[in-house]
């Protein structure tokens, strides 16, 4: 069964609404032991990396997610801060440890001396790079973003990456085998976002 992790650090009602629209059986979970029986995992999040990282460490989810994602190879999709938590660390509010599933750190977006508004908020197109999770989605389709920090992938990492441009290339999607992250909010991206979530559920 699909499990949606509720870290209680943001409103995940929109994610649940889309999953219900897709007709997928799921369970909203708040405790790590509820991951039992997971066939796929969605890790949503909004707000501060620091607050989300603290919650994931203190709740015991970090050990449980390591067991299911790393050992049992259960597919996971991190959304927004949920994607950022897949990285090794984040710099928001001081250095905090993430899950470490992706060799990356999360750093503040370059404002180019104030010429760009931070947070990056609104609709931006993505170079989907013909990645399978974007099947039936036109390249350069627009998705909805709200974030001040972005993933910086370590050099020489062999990952599947799709970018949006906000003054410079910003990681919009990252994938390593069964591990997926979306910096954008598919649940708020209308039809292309619904298709993206459908692809994760059906293809991954």
């Amino acid at each position: 069964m699909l499990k949606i992790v509720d870290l209680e650090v943001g409103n995940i009602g929109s994610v649940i609404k889309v999953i219900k629209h897709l007709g997928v059986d799921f369970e909203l979970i708040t405790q790590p032991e509820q991951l039992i029986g997971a066939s796929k995992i969605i890790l949503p999040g909004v707000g501060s990396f620091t607050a989300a990282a603290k919650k994931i460490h203190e709740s015991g989810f970090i050990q449980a997610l390591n067991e299911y994602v790393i050992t049992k190879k259960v597919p996971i999709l991190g959304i927004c801060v949920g994607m950022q938590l897949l990285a090794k660390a984040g710099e928001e509010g001081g250095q905090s440890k993430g899950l470490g599933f992706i060799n990356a750190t999360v750093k503040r977006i370059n404002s180019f001396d104030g010429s760009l508004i931070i947070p990056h908020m609104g609709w931006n197109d993505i170079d989907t790079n013909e990645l399978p999770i974007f099947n039936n989605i036109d390249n350069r389709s627009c998705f909805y973003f709200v974030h001040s920090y972005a993933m910086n992938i370590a050099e020489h990492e062999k990952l599947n990456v799709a970018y949006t441009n906000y003054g410079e290339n910003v990681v919009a999607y990252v994938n390593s085998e069964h591990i997926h992250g979306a910096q954008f909010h598919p649940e708020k991206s209308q039809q292309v976002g619904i298709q993206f979530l459908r692809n994760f559920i059906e293809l991954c």
Side-chain angles (χ1 to χ4, degrees):
M1 178 179 285
L2 171 66
K3 306 277 185 167
I4 301 175
V5 179
D6 183 5
L7 294 176
E8 300 175 339
V9 293
N11 180 13
I12 62 172
S14 296
V15 175
I16 292 171
K17 183 177 179 180
V18 174
I19 298 303
K20 286 181 176 178
H21 170 77
L22 292 172
V24 177
D25 289 334
F26 73 95
E27 181 183 2
L28 181 65
I29 66 172
T30 57
Q31 302 297 324
E33 58 268 22
Q34 293 175 298
L35 277 172
I36 293 173
S39 58
K40 290 182 177 65
I41 300 166
I42 293 179
L43 179 63
V46 296
S48 162
F49 182 100
T50 304
K54 181 179 180 181
K55 183 73 174 181
I56 210 165
H57 283 272
E58 291 180 349
S59 65
F61 263 114
I62 191 162
Q63 294 89 351
L65 287 169
N66 266 286
E67 177 186 353
Y68 280 84
V69 177
I70 301 303
T71 304
K72 296 183 177 180
K73 306 294 184 184
V74 175
I76 186 171
L77 171 65
I79 297 174
C80 196
V81 173
M83 167 182 161
Q84 295 178 2
L85 287 172
L86 302 178
K88 286 188 171 182
E91 295 184 349
E92 184 177 7
Q95 193 85 356
S96 300
K97 289 184 179 180
L99 289 161
F101 296 166
I102 301 289
N103 188 9
T105 55
V106 178
K107 300 181 179 182
R108 187 169 175 81
I109 298 171
N110 187 353
S111 70
F112 294 95
D113 294 326
S115 62
L116 289 178
I117 296 172
I118 305 298
H120 169 212
M121 182 168 62
W123 296 86
N124 274 81
D125 64 344
I126 296 176
D127 181 357
T128 60
N129 205 18
E130 298 184 352
L131 296 172
I133 201 165
F134 292 98
N135 280 359
N136 298 314
I137 297 171
D138 291 337
N139 190 34
R140 296 294 181 186
S141 288
C142 288
F143 292 80
Y144 189 77
F145 291 81
V146 183
H147 63 124
S148 299
Y149 289 75
M151 187 177 280
N152 284 248
I153 298 169
E155 291 185 14
H156 311 302
E157 285 294 298
K158 294 182 178 179
L159 302 172
N160 295 313
V161 184
Y163 294 95
T164 190
N165 190 280
Y166 195 66
E168 61 186 3
N169 280 337
V170 174
V171 176
Y173 165 80
V174 65
N175 162 239
S176 175
E177 297 181 344
H178 59 291
I179 298 167
H180 305 261
Q183 182 61 69
F184 56 90
H185 285 274
E187 77 281 7
K188 296 182 179 180
S189 298
Q190 300 178 2
Q191 291 304 312
V192 291
I194 292 171
Q195 183 63 47
F196 178 89
L197 288 171
R198 180 184 288 114
N199 288 343
F200 170 71
I201 292 164
E202 293 180 355
L203 302 176
C204 300

